[in-house]
Amino acid sequence: MLELVDLTHRYGTYHAIDRINLTVKQGEVVCVVGPSGCGKSTLLRSIAGLIKPTGGRVLLDGRPVESTPDNLAVVFQDYSRSLYPWLSALANVSLPLRRRGLDRKARDEAAMAALTEVGLGTAAAKFPWEMSGGMQQRVSIARALAYRPKLLLMDEPFGSVDAQTREELEDLVLRVCAHHGMTILLITHDVDESVYVGDRVVVLSKAPGTVTGDLTVDLPGPRDQIRTRELDAFVKLRADVGRMVRGMTNNNHHEVEHR
Ligand code: ADP
Ligand code: MG
């Protein structure tokens, strides 16, 4: 469904990403992991049509992405700039549903259901400035889930929440997306998270970011925060990805599958 061909971007003379090639299939959960500053957000903004890459192509369902596609939702790293401060949580979530052609009542119902799903059913009337960072990020996630996009892009979505909330939100996103058949591209610098969440982990090199590894995560589902993380296969994959992110050669190639 998503195809990146030699995707390259330079900010002026600064080379941020270099010839990224990646194909994502419908229903896949792909985690992109790489060191900070390697161009992960640049990659995401290119896919979302928010910046025009200086080289290569982004194809969604075979069509080039020129502006923000209709069937796509994005959860940004910086929640403080992604919500409208003058709107309540409910209004923030329901607003984009206008694009879905729903009437006011249907929008508010869908928004309320999504807020309840992320544990904010009783905070629907609150404004962003009345909520903690973690709560604001939950609102951003609820907004994306309510929209029911075909492709959900997430840029370090759990980076600023506490560890327990992070685990809850990882599971919530996996559950809701599986239920609605969404495809996810999740960007993270957290090796553990990439293996826990992904069906596949794509590793980017340090800047300019390019794909240095593409691993299939063959762990049984549904994932479980305790049981999955104690599996030998999980521990081994985490070590493999960790080495790749650090640019160390991987001596054990049997799990590595370059596509
Ligand atoms: P990551 O998300 O992996 O941390 P980014 O994609 O945000 O990386 O940034 C990659 C590099 O590009 C960084 O060195 C950053 O300073 C630079 N960069 C990002 N956005 C801009 C911009 N709008 N103009 C100039 N340089 C930028
Ligand atoms: Mg970033």
Side-chain angles (χ1 to χ4, degrees):
M1 96 182 287
L2 174 69
E3 196 179 358
L4 310 180
V5 185
D6 288 334
L7 188 67
T8 298
H9 190 68
R10 291 172 200 266
Y11 295 103
T13 56
Y14 184 80
H15 197 171
I17 52 175
D18 185 43
R19 286 167 293 170
I20 292 182
N21 287 289
L22 180 65
T23 303
V24 177
K25 283 187 291 212
Q26 171 89 42
E28 252 185 333
V29 179
V30 177
C31 289
V32 175
V33 63
S36 78
C38 78
K40 298 183 298 297
S41 296
T42 301
L43 169 68
L44 179 129
R45 288 197 289 264
S46 305
I47 298 170
L50 298 171
I51 57 173
K52 189 175 167 9
T54 52
R57 289 184 301 156
V58 178
L59 301 170
L60 198 58
D61 291 326
R63 284 185 297 276
V65 167
E66 269 137 17
S67 58
T68 303
D70 208 27
N71 269 322
L72 180 141
V74 188
V75 175
F76 293 99
Q77 192 170 0
D78 187 1
Y79 55 81
S80 66
R81 285 190 296 168
S82 82
L83 298 177
Y84 294 112
W86 59 86
L87 294 180
S88 67
L90 186 80
N92 265 288
V93 175
S94 70
L95 186 69
L97 301 177
R98 288 184 180 188
R99 268 181 98 168
R100 286 276 182 253
L102 300 176
D103 65 23
R104 174 76 191 261
K105 186 162 170 287
R107 288 201 301 270
D108 285 353
E109 278 171 12
M112 195 63 211
L115 284 169
T116 304
E117 259 180 329
V118 301
L120 288 180
T122 58
K126 284 196 195 301
F127 289 87
W129 43 271
E130 297 176 292
M131 292 185 279
S132 68
M135 287 168 82
Q136 291 178 51
Q137 191 62 326
R138 282 176 194 246
V139 176
S140 303
I141 291 168
R143 181 175 56 188
L145 295 176
Y147 193 68
R148 303 271 187 266
K150 260 181 83 181
L151 177 62
L152 175 60
L153 301 177
M154 308 184 93
D155 191 356
E156 307 203 23
F158 315 125
S160 51
V161 299
D162 62 87
Q164 199 192 328
T165 303
R166 182 187 189 118
E167 294 187 349
E168 284 167 20
L169 291 178
E170 286 169 355
D171 290 344
L172 171 85
V173 167
L174 287 179
R175 190 159 27 85
V176 175
C177 290
H179 186 242
H180 296 286
M182 291 179 205
T183 306
I184 311 181
L185 190 88
L186 183 141
I187 285 176
T188 180
H189 64 262
D190 187 301
V191 171
D192 267 63
E193 180 167 274
S194 72
V195 175
Y196 181 76
V197 172
D199 297 325
R200 211 175 129 195
V201 176
V202 172
V203 181
L204 295 187
S205 66
K206 57 185 197 308
T210 196
V211 176
T212 54
D214 192 336
L215 289 82
T216 300
V217 179
D218 198 7
L219 296 173
R223 306 278 161 93
D224 178 278
Q225 292 288 353
I226 306 293
R227 266 178 285 135
T228 300
R229 289 176 194 273
E230 71 188 2
L231 293 173
D232 290 344
F234 179 88
V235 173
K236 174 161 189 324
L237 275 163
R238 184 177 61 185
D240 285 347
V241 174
R243 262 182 231 111
M244 292 174 118
V245 168
R246 287 166 188 78
M248 293 158 73
T249 43
N250 197 318
N251 293 322
N252 193 340
H253 281 279
H254 84 272
E255 309 243 16
V256 182
E257 191 185 305
H258 289 273
R259 303 183 192 214

